[in-house]
Amino acid sequence: TLSELFVQIFILTSASINNQIFMIIAVPKEIESNETRVSTTPQSAAELIKAGYEVKIETNAGENSFFFDKDYQAVNAEVISSKDKLFENADIILKVTPPSLDEIKLMSKGTVCVSFFQPTIEIEKVKAMTERDITGMSMHLVPRTTLAQKMDALSSQANIAGYKAVLMGSVHMGVYMPLLMTAAGTIRPAKVLILGAGVAGLQAIATAKRLGSQVEAFDVRPEVKEQVESLGAKFVEVESDSDDGVGEGGYAKETSEEYKKKQQELIREHISKADMVITTALIPGREAPILIGKNVVDIMKPGSVIMDLAAENGGNCELTKKDEIVNHNKVIIDGTSNIPATMPVHASELYAKNIAALITYMTDDSKLKMNMEDEIISGSTFTHDGKITHEPTKEMVEGN
């Protein structure tokens, strides 16, 4: 009968749904001691589940970001107690920091691992991922295009770093940030110099201005002058007829020796008068350029501070020590390398949205599709099918 036919169709449909194989996304707890962020928040986990994935979280993976196991369970994510078990059947692994060699050993062949990864620096890990046929994708490599804006984790985290660097620097300084007129006399505003007017630098300018300081900014790219001035800061400019410092995709690049000489002379003059200097010249996958030598630090005012946002790749100041605070002749040099992790709630929320946007962009019919003809996917990938696909990394590996 017709009713019996409908029952049979319902049973077959239900069986098909129940037997559907979901791709598994695994979210491990970060193992770096200074990493408090998590790659997936309960909100982004819900988005990924809605997109057709099964999400599994390692126990306490989000606790340092104040997202707890019960929050993930509330959105139907599964909490797994063992990293070995978590990685066992994972199709996709989402991390903040690059996987360790031990974590790579736990990954199955064909696993896709997404993290903040600088492949030209982490050569041994690149080799290990290639040998195990792990597809490595880096949020560092996401192209800076209009379509990829939602995935731009470098910008979302740099925004936080620029904001927090001003607040951290103000704690180190021996002076007020704003102009104050008191019965005891007038207090002059602090002078803040920002080196680099990218995302971090522009946020630092805006924050320092909100706190009432006098702000100057320098960048090798003359086209950012308008942005700097729109935030109320003075643009310190090196006169040049060439396009020194202007790289592809909105990034800065290495400059000529002649330009560097002019730059050093100009920076030296302005640094000697500054109460706070924030350096942001971080070139992805490269050692950070030295902008402030020891001889320049020697002429800075006692009580002044350098916040070096390039400490992760060696620092823009010659005296910077990664994750240390150096006191050189009463000048503080703060080399905190992971400033976004000092604001783990919002940093995790933004990063999780970036990474979820990348995954959903790559998702077709509830499956992750590695379309290497796609500019965003190929641009973000550094290893795939047992090969190194990122040319600068490939050249470096072959050169070793």
Side-chain angles (χ1 to χ4, degrees):
T1 64
L2 190 60
S3 60
E4 290 175 335
L5 179 61
F6 281 137
V7 169
Q8 289 297 322
I9 291 173
F10 176 77
I11 291 172
L12 289 171
T13 304
S14 298
S16 176
I17 292 171
N18 290 333
N19 291 330
Q20 182 178 350
I21 299 174
F22 293 94
M23 291 193 79
I24 297 172
I25 290 178
V27 181
K29 183 178 175 67
E30 298 296 329
I31 58 176
E32 296 290 335
S33 59
N34 69 340
E35 187 53 75
T36 60
R37 293 171 293 178
V38 65
S39 64
T40 303
T41 62
Q43 181 182 355
S44 68
E47 292 175 10
L48 293 168
I49 291 169
K50 185 178 179 180
Y53 293 97
E54 186 176 339
V55 178
K56 298 186 178 184
I57 313 280
E58 186 177 1
T59 302
N60 297 327
E63 67 173 356
N64 289 332
S65 304
F66 309 106
F67 301 114
F68 302 102
D69 291 349
K70 61 181 178 62
D71 301 322
Y72 291 102
Q73 290 169 331
V75 297
N76 294 322
E78 184 181 353
V79 176
I80 305 293
S81 60
S82 161
K83 184 165 289 187
D84 293 40
K85 187 177 178 183
L86 178 73
F87 281 15
E88 190 175 19
N89 298 311
D91 299 293
I92 306 163
I93 295 172
L94 305 182
K95 283 180 56 63
V96 180
T97 58
S100 67
L101 289 171
D102 287 337
E103 286 178 318
I104 292 170
K105 289 176 184 177
L106 294 176
M107 297 179 191
S108 303
K109 179 180 179 180
T111 301
V112 176
C113 181
V114 188
S115 66
F116 265 132
F117 200 113
Q118 297 191 71
T120 54
I121 294 176
E122 304 270 13
I123 297 297
E124 291 306 311
K125 292 179 182 178
V126 170
K127 290 179 180 177
M129 293 176 80
T130 305
E131 289 168 4
R132 295 188 63 80
D133 194 10
I134 306 299
T135 294
M137 300 189 73
S138 174
M139 300 305 285
H140 272 289
L141 301 178
V142 173
R144 280 190 164 176
T145 63
T146 302
L147 189 59
Q149 276 185 331
K150 287 184 179 179
M151 312 162 202
D152 189 357
L154 276 180
S155 291
S156 73
Q157 302 305 295
N159 210 336
I160 292 172
Y163 166 80
K164 191 63 179 286
V166 175
L167 304 185
M168 292 168 66
S170 69
V171 173
H172 292 310
M173 282 195 316
V175 299
Y176 274 117
M177 293 288 282
L179 168 72
L180 290 178
M181 301 182 73
T182 74
T186 300
I187 300 295
R188 63 170 180 79
K191 291 184 178 180
V192 178
L193 174 63
I194 315 291
L195 300 182
V199 175
L202 291 173
Q203 182 56 253
I205 291 168
T207 304
K209 284 298 293 183
R210 282 195 294 266
L211 290 175
S213 60
Q214 291 182 354
V215 185
E216 296 179 324
F218 167 81
D219 196 287
V220 294
R221 299 162 296 174
E223 66 268 22
V224 301
K225 179 179 180 179
E226 186 178 338
Q227 297 175 58
V228 167
E229 292 178 340
S230 71
L231 292 171
K234 178 183 176 183
F235 188 66
V236 178
E237 202 166 2
V238 176
E239 296 297 330
S240 176
D241 296 326
S242 70
D243 62 350
D244 259 346
V246 182
E248 295 181 5
Y251 293 101
K253 70 172 185 179
E254 286 283 1
T255 54
S256 66
E257 289 304 315
E258 181 184 356
Y259 184 94
K260 285 179 182 177
K261 186 177 179 181
K262 291 180 181 178
Q263 171 186 299
Q264 290 288 347
E265 291 171 357
L266 188 62
I267 288 175
R268 180 186 177 95
E269 178 188 345
H270 286 266
I271 285 177
S272 67
K273 302 172 184 175
D275 297 295
M276 185 196 302
V277 180
I278 299 177
T279 68
T280 69
L282 182 62
I283 301 171
R286 298 279 297 278
E287 187 175 340
I290 297 297
L291 303 180
I292 305 175
K294 177 181 176 296
N295 62 327
V296 179
V297 179
D298 286 336
I299 64 171
M300 291 180 70
K301 296 187 295 185
S304 58
V305 57
I306 297 171
M307 293 298 303
D308 195 335
L309 300 192
E312 177 186 3
N313 286 7
N316 296 140
C317 177
E318 185 181 352
L319 299 178
T320 296
K321 292 185 179 179
K322 183 179 175 181
D323 292 322
E324 291 185 28
I325 295 174
V326 175
N327 188 328
H328 179 79
N329 295 336
K330 306 299 182 183
V331 175
I332 296 293
I333 303 149
D334 191 328
T336 303
S337 67
N338 191 2
I339 291 179
T342 66
M343 294 180 61
V345 176
H346 285 157
S348 295
E349 286 178 353
L350 291 171
Y351 181 70
K353 287 179 181 177
N354 296 142
I355 211 167
L358 177 62
I359 296 299
T360 53
Y361 174 80
M362 298 167 62
T363 300
D364 182 22
D365 195 24
S366 300
K367 293 283 196 313
L368 195 73
K369 304 293 185 182
M370 290 299 301
N371 178 13
M372 297 305 285
E373 299 298 317
D374 184 284
E375 178 188 12
I376 295 174
I377 297 172
S378 62
S380 304
T381 305
F382 58 91
T383 61
H384 183 59
D385 281 345
K387 299 175 183 176
I388 298 173
T389 59
H390 184 239
E391 283 303 319
T393 303
K394 187 177 180 180
E395 290 170 9
M396 190 159 291
V397 170
E398 291 174 349
N400 286 347

